[in-house]
PDB file of all heavy atoms in Angstrom:
ATOM      1  N   TYR A 288      29.649  31.484  83.766  1.00  0.00           N
ATOM      2  CA  TYR A 288      30.019  32.802  83.223  1.00  0.00           C
ATOM      3  C   TYR A 288      31.315  33.276  83.882  1.00  0.00           C
ATOM      4  O   TYR A 288      32.185  33.856  83.219  1.00  0.00           O
ATOM      5  CB  TYR A 288      28.908  33.815  83.466  1.00  0.00           C
ATOM      6  CG  TYR A 288      27.871  33.892  82.375  1.00  0.00           C
ATOM      7  CD1 TYR A 288      26.537  33.579  82.629  1.00  0.00           C
ATOM      8  CD2 TYR A 288      28.206  34.304  81.086  1.00  0.00           C
ATOM      9  CE1 TYR A 288      25.574  33.664  81.633  1.00  0.00           C
ATOM     10  CE2 TYR A 288      27.254  34.386  80.086  1.00  0.00           C
ATOM     11  CZ  TYR A 288      25.939  34.069  80.357  1.00  0.00           C
ATOM     12  OH  TYR A 288      24.998  34.158  79.365  1.00  0.00           O
ATOM     13  N   PRO A 304      40.960  51.137  98.541  1.00  0.00           N
ATOM     14  CA  PRO A 304      41.152  52.128  97.491  1.00  0.00           C
ATOM     15  C   PRO A 304      42.555  52.062  96.882  1.00  0.00           C
ATOM     16  O   PRO A 304      43.514  51.712  97.573  1.00  0.00           O
ATOM     17  CB  PRO A 304      40.954  53.454  98.231  1.00  0.00           C
ATOM     18  CG  PRO A 304      41.414  53.157  99.626  1.00  0.00           C
ATOM     19  CD  PRO A 304      41.001  51.736  99.891  1.00  0.00           C
ATOM     20  N   ALA A 397      27.443  65.783  79.931  1.00  0.00           N
ATOM     21  CA  ALA A 397      27.887  66.884  80.787  1.00  0.00           C
ATOM     22  C   ALA A 397      27.559  68.260  80.255  1.00  0.00           C
ATOM     23  O   ALA A 397      28.049  69.236  80.789  1.00  0.00           O
ATOM     24  CB  ALA A 397      29.394  66.757  81.018  1.00  0.00           C
TER      25      ALA A 397
END
Side-chain angles (χ1 to χ4, degrees):
Y288 271 118

